[in-house]
Each structure stands twice: as structure tokens, then as C-alpha cells.
């Protein structure tokens, strides 16, 4: 029983300390941000560009399977961000276009898999929105859970990290494609967390800094 209590105590301490030492957020705001965003009515979230990498490749690693997982992750993140912003819609001055409509319009125009080859203003025209949100998410698996727990017990603080996620979120003006706002945040996944929990924490950070918030 004492060993279990010690284990939980070490894991909790590591989790709290890791949260404190995560990379600080970085935000860019265009001088035209307030003026232009005040005129926007509808924005669209483009499919995420997601990447999954490993500090050390696992056994039986398959490149095609990894690419399929990246596409699935990108789709899940796009849907997750839409759901989060939808839940907070009363706090924002714009309407977020349904991601299913966004994706259908992109596929009908045959640009769903060519987003990186399109300018933001061209995408906004296709989607019929005032601005587009373009995001990237890089997920790196750095350690196994078993190894992280063992290191936590033997060494202590700073060893419970098993993965990290870096999100970049850009808001582009639909009329001319200019970058209005950029948000970057890195967060760690530890033995007491999960990829979904990390993304939820990131969404809360985005929500608090989203440039379309109602000023109170």
C-alpha cells in the first residue's frame, strides 16, 4: 500500500511540475487585427496538417500506417477544435462554419488535398467565409509509459514526459489572405495524461486568446 501511495505521489508531483515548465505560448497580432476581425461574420477551420513522429521508431513501424494515422489525427483535431469553439460560441463575435460543410466544399472544388498549394484568400472564396483558420499539429512520442513511470520512481521530477505536442494556429483575412493572428503552443503528455487531454488543454489556451472574443 505504501508503494502505491508513493507511486501516485510521484506521478502527481511530476505532472504538476511538467505543467509548470511547458513552453510558453507565442502570439502574433497584425496591426490590422482589431479593425478587420470586427468586420468578420463567418470563419472556417481548415483540415489540420498533422504529423506523428517518434524519438525512437517502434518495432514494426509502418510508414503508410503512420500516414493514415496522421490523416485521422488531422481530421479529429479539426472536428475537436470546431466542437470546442461551438461550445463557446456565445463568447465570440463570429460564427464558425460547420467543418463538414467546409470539407465538402473543399472536395467539390478538388482542393481538399491541395490546401498547402492554395492561398488563404482563394480558400476563403471557395468556402464563402470572411477568414480561414489554418492549423498544424506536430505530435512526437518520446518515451514509453512504463519507462516514464520507472524513471519517475527512480529519479523523480522531469521524467514523466512520454510525448509532446506543438500546435500552430493561423487566422488569415479572407479578402486578401493577410495573416492577422498567429498562436503557437507546446505542451507535454505525461504518464497521467493522454493525447486527447493535451489537446483539450491546448483548446482552452486557444479559447482564452481567440481574437474574436467578445470584449467585456
Amino acid at each position: 500500500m505504501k508503494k502505491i501511495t508513493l507511486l501516485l505521489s510521484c506521478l502527481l508531483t511530476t505532472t504538476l511540475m511538467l505543467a509548470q515548465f511547458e513552453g510558453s505560448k507565442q502570439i502574433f497580432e497584425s496591426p490590422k487585427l482589431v479593425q478587420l476581425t470586427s468586420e468578420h461574420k463567418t470563419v472556417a477551420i481548415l483540415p489540420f496538417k498533422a504529423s506523428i513522429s517518434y524519438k525512437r521508431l517502434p518495432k514494426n513501424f509502418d510508414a503508410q500506417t503512420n500516414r493514415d494515422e496522421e490523416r485521422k489525427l488531422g481530421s479529429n483535431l479539426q472536428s475537436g477544435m470546431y466542437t470546442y469553439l461551438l461550445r463557446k460560441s456565445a463568447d465570440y463575435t463570429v460564427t464558425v462554419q460547420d467543418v463538414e460543410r467546409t470539407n465538402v466544399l473543399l472536395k467539390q472544388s478538388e482542393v481538399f488535398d491541395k490546401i498547402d498549394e492554395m492561398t488563404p484568400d482563394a480558400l476563403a472564396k471557395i468556402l464563402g467565409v470572411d477568414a480561414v483558420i489554418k492549423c498544424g499539429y506536430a505530435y512526437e512520442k518520446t518515451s514509453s509509459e512504463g519507462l516514464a513511470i520507472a524513471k519517475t520512481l527512480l529519479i523523480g521530477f522531469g521524467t514523466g514526459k512520454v510525448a509532446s505536442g506543438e500546435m500552430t494556429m493561423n487566422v488569415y483575412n479572407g479578402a486578401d489572405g493577410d495573416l492577422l493572428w498567429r498562436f503557437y503552443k507546446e505542451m507535454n503528455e505525461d504518464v497521467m495524461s493522454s493525447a486527447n487531454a493535451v489537446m483539450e488543454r491546448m483548446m482552452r489556451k486557444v479559447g482564452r486568446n481567440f481574437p474574436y472574443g467578445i470584449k467585456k
Side-chain angles (χ1 to χ4, degrees), residues 87-98:
R87 292 202 322 255
K88 303 290 184 180
S89 59
D91 298 331
Y92 303 132
T93 59
V94 291
T95 298
V96 182
Q97 186 176 82
D98 189 306

Side-chain angles (χ1 to χ4, degrees), residues 66-103:
N66 195 68
R67 284 193 291 271
D68 292 341
E69 287 297 318
E70 289 177 334
R71 288 180 65 89
K72 181 179 178 181
L73 177 60
S75 177
N76 289 342
L77 292 174
Q78 181 195 26
S79 179
M81 176 173 284
Y82 172 65
T83 300
Y84 184 87
L85 294 179
L86 195 62
R87 292 202 322 255
K88 303 290 184 180
S89 59
D91 298 331
Y92 303 132
T93 59
V94 291
T95 298
V96 182
Q97 186 176 82
D98 189 306
V99 292
E100 291 188 9
R101 175 176 175 78
T102 296
N103 293 344

Side-chain angles (χ1 to χ4, degrees), residues 35-62:
Q35 175 194 343
L36 294 178
T37 54
S38 66
E39 301 170 357
H40 293 170
K41 301 299 181 183
T42 309
V43 301
I45 305 170
L46 300 174
F48 272 62
K49 183 177 182 180
S51 66
I52 301 173
S53 60
Y54 297 84
K55 191 170 184 179
R56 184 175 183 179
L57 285 180
K59 293 181 179 179
N60 303 318
F61 173 80
D62 182 76

Side-chain angles (χ1 to χ4, degrees), residues 26-202:
Q26 300 175 28
I27 299 176
F28 161 79
E29 294 184 354
S30 165
K32 300 183 292 183
L33 176 67
V34 175
Q35 175 194 343
L36 294 178
T37 54
S38 66
E39 301 170 357
H40 293 170
K41 301 299 181 183
T42 309
V43 301
I45 305 170
L46 300 174
F48 272 62
K49 183 177 182 180
S51 66
I52 301 173
S53 60
Y54 297 84
K55 191 170 184 179
R56 184 175 183 179
L57 285 180
K59 293 181 179 179
N60 303 318
F61 173 80
D62 182 76
Q64 183 58 53
T65 298
N66 195 68
R67 284 193 291 271
D68 292 341
E69 287 297 318
E70 289 177 334
R71 288 180 65 89
K72 181 179 178 181
L73 177 60
S75 177
N76 289 342
L77 292 174
Q78 181 195 26
S79 179
M81 176 173 284
Y82 172 65
T83 300
Y84 184 87
L85 294 179
L86 195 62
R87 292 202 322 255
K88 303 290 184 180
S89 59
D91 298 331
Y92 303 132
T93 59
V94 291
T95 298
V96 182
Q97 186 176 82
D98 189 306
V99 292
E100 291 188 9
R101 175 176 175 78
T102 296
N103 293 344
V104 167
L105 290 173
L106 292 173
K107 289 175 182 178
Q108 287 178 345
S109 298
E110 300 182 346
V111 298
F112 184 81
D113 295 315
K114 301 177 182 178
I115 290 176
D116 288 340
E117 302 173 20
M118 303 287 293
T119 60
D121 49 316
L123 291 168
K125 184 176 181 180
I126 290 172
L127 299 173
V129 295
D130 300 308
V132 291
I133 300 173
K134 189 174 183 180
C135 300
Y137 187 72
Y139 181 78
E140 182 184 35
K141 194 74 173 178
T142 56
S143 179
S144 69
E145 293 184 2
L147 181 59
I149 292 174
K151 286 184 177 180
T152 298
L153 290 174
L154 293 173
I155 304 173
F157 161 66
T159 57
K161 175 182 172 182
V162 297
S164 65
E166 298 179 8
M167 187 180 77
T168 303
M169 178 178 178
N170 298 315
V171 176
Y172 294 94
N173 188 39
D176 53 20
D178 284 353
L179 177 64
L180 298 180
W181 186 78
R182 180 180 176 89
F183 177 91
Y184 171 85
K185 179 67 179 176
E186 178 181 353
M187 283 192 171
N188 296 324
E189 177 185 333
D190 53 64
V191 293
M192 296 288 283
S193 184
S194 67
N196 288 336
V198 171
M199 193 60 198
E200 178 68 18
R201 293 195 341 255
M202 280 194 172

